[in-house]
């Protein structure tokens, strides 16, 4: 089994010309390799919905974690409820940070997402994901190469130096159109904010409507230098 600790560039190849551009094949490999030792971290954006549907075909009992910062839009919680209803066998965990918002304010001051967004993401996203990944060898992420310049080199299977795990990214070759085609064809529920100009949806204070085809994440931390929450840095991969 490929793990972070014994990482050797895996000699695997997946057919990026298949119907799902390699995604189902990658998921079949991932669940047969890691069994219960793999977790999908889902933000419940539209890519996440596609990935959940594909995962449910490979492992209807898969474990999924949502990093519940306490600052998400109500529409995001609504779509989580719809997904729970549609896929009752999946285990969906809403992982909360150690500090409540009140405790965070007491310790670091009001609106930390404005004064120090990196620290805020560290406390409310990175540490909770780290805890969630404690007992697994690999995790799944819905990153797509087209999504933003910061993601153009992501591979199907990545050595994740941030969390010291293997990171599996089945959707790397999917385009924005592929995602929506799949959602509509399969009549999947999705976050209604996508129809209101939000291509990428994170925490409410740090997400604005925006549409830039070259950078679908341009509405995240708009006006700040920050581009990523820090979950997806330092990855090296293979099997493109
Ligand atoms: Fe805090 Fe914004 Fe990061 Fe959410 S996205 S954890 S509100 S800085």
């Amino acid at each position: 089994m490929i793990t972070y600790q014994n990482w050797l560039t895996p000699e695997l190849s997946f057919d990026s010309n298949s119907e799902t551009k390699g995604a189902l094949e990658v998921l079949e490999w991932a669940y047969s390799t890691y069994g219960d030792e793999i977790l999908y971290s889902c933000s419940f954006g539209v890519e996440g919905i596609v990935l959940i549907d594909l995962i449910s075909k490979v492992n209807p009992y898969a474990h999924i974690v949502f990093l519940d910062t306490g600052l998400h839009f109500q529409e995001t919680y609504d779509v989580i409820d719809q997904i729970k209803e549609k896929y009752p066998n999946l285990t969906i965990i809403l992982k909360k940070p150690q500090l409540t918002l009140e405790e965070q304010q007491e310790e670091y001051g009001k609106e930390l997402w404005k004064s120090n967004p990196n620290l805020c993401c560290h406390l409310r996203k990175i540490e909770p994901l780290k805890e969630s990944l404690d007992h697994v060898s690999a995790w799944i992420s819905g990153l797509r190469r087209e999504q933003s310049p910061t993601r153009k080199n992501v591979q199907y299977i990545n050595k994740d130096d941030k969390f010291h795990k293997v990171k599996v990214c089945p959707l790397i070759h999917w385009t924005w159109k592929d995602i929506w085609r799949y959602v509509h064809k399969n009549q999947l529920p999705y976050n209604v904010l996508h129809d209101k100009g939000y291509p990428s949806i994170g925490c409410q204070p740090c997400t604005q409507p925006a549409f830039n085809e070259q950078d679908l994440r341009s509405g995240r931390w708009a006006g700040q230098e920050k581009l990523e929450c820090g979950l997806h840095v330092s990855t090296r991969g293979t099997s493109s």
Side-chain angles (χ1 to χ4, degrees):
M1 184 167 88
I2 302 163
T3 63
Y4 179 85
Q5 286 72 19
N6 72 11
W7 178 269
L8 275 178
T9 304
E11 294 195 9
L12 294 165
S13 66
F14 300 100
D15 182 6
S16 59
N17 294 315
S18 74
E19 203 183 334
T20 61
K21 295 192 166 179
L24 261 187
E25 294 84 345
V26 170
L27 288 168
E28 275 157 9
W29 171 83
Y31 281 100
S32 68
T33 302
Y34 297 105
D36 289 340
E37 281 194 50
I38 188 164
L39 185 67
Y40 172 33
S41 173
C42 184
S43 64
F44 286 86
V46 68
E47 289 90 352
I49 303 301
V50 169
L51 210 31
I52 285 176
D53 192 69
L54 293 172
I55 286 173
S56 74
K57 296 180 195 305
V58 175
N59 180 4
Y61 299 94
H63 283 63
I64 294 168
V65 66
F66 171 69
L67 302 176
D68 188 1
T69 60
L71 290 156
H72 289 284
F73 292 91
Q74 182 54 46
E75 289 86 343
T76 303
Y77 295 106
D78 293 344
V79 80
I80 292 173
D81 288 341
Q82 288 173 277
I83 291 291
K84 281 182 175 170
E85 206 174 307
K86 184 169 170 64
Y87 307 94
N89 292 324
L90 293 174
T91 300
I92 298 176
I93 303 149
L94 271 59
K95 175 74 179 165
K96 298 204 183 297
Q98 293 285 348
L99 296 181
T100 64
L101 284 169
E102 292 70 29
E103 288 166 342
Q104 179 170 297
Q105 180 165 323
E106 249 169 57
E107 201 162 323
Y108 298 102
K110 216 176 154 194
E111 300 184 328
L112 187 59
W113 47 91
K114 284 187 186 160
S115 58
N116 191 342
N118 286 333
L119 178 60
C120 186
C121 275
H122 183 81
L123 296 168
R124 310 203 77 73
K125 289 185 168 181
I126 295 172
E127 282 300 323
L129 181 58
K130 206 166 152 203
E131 285 167 23
S132 301
L133 296 178
D134 250 4
H135 305 293
V136 296
S137 301
W139 65 297
I140 298 171
S141 167
L143 301 185
R144 293 184 300 110
R145 287 183 181 172
E146 182 209 57
Q147 234 166 1
S148 98
T150 56
R151 299 184 173 183
K152 66 177 195 275
N153 296 320
V154 183
Q155 307 287 329
Y156 283 133
I157 305 165
N158 303 268
K159 183 173 192 242
D160 180 357
D161 292 329
K162 178 93 187 178
F163 295 103
H164 292 192
K165 304 288 170 188
V166 171
K167 182 162 75 173
V168 179
C169 301
L171 298 181
I172 55 172
H173 294 298
W174 284 52
T175 64
W176 187 238
K177 279 190 185 140
D178 292 331
I179 294 285
W180 282 104
R181 206 176 294 127
Y182 187 92
V183 164
H184 292 312
K185 186 176 162 202
N186 294 286
Q187 299 185 320
L188 302 180
Y190 62 86
N191 193 324
V192 294
L193 289 176
H194 286 305
D195 292 336
K196 296 181 180 168
Y198 294 79
S200 175
I201 304 162
C203 296
Q204 193 158 7
C206 301
T207 307
Q208 289 180 15
F211 201 89
N212 171 357
E213 277 224 35
Q214 304 311 311
D215 186 354
L216 293 169
R217 290 173 55 80
S218 59
R220 303 287 294 279
W221 303 283
Q224 301 194 39
E225 284 189 6
K226 192 170 165 64
L227 298 172
E228 296 273 356
C229 53
L231 299 178
H232 301 294
V233 290
S234 304
T235 54
R236 285 168 273 154
T238 187
S239 308
S240 60

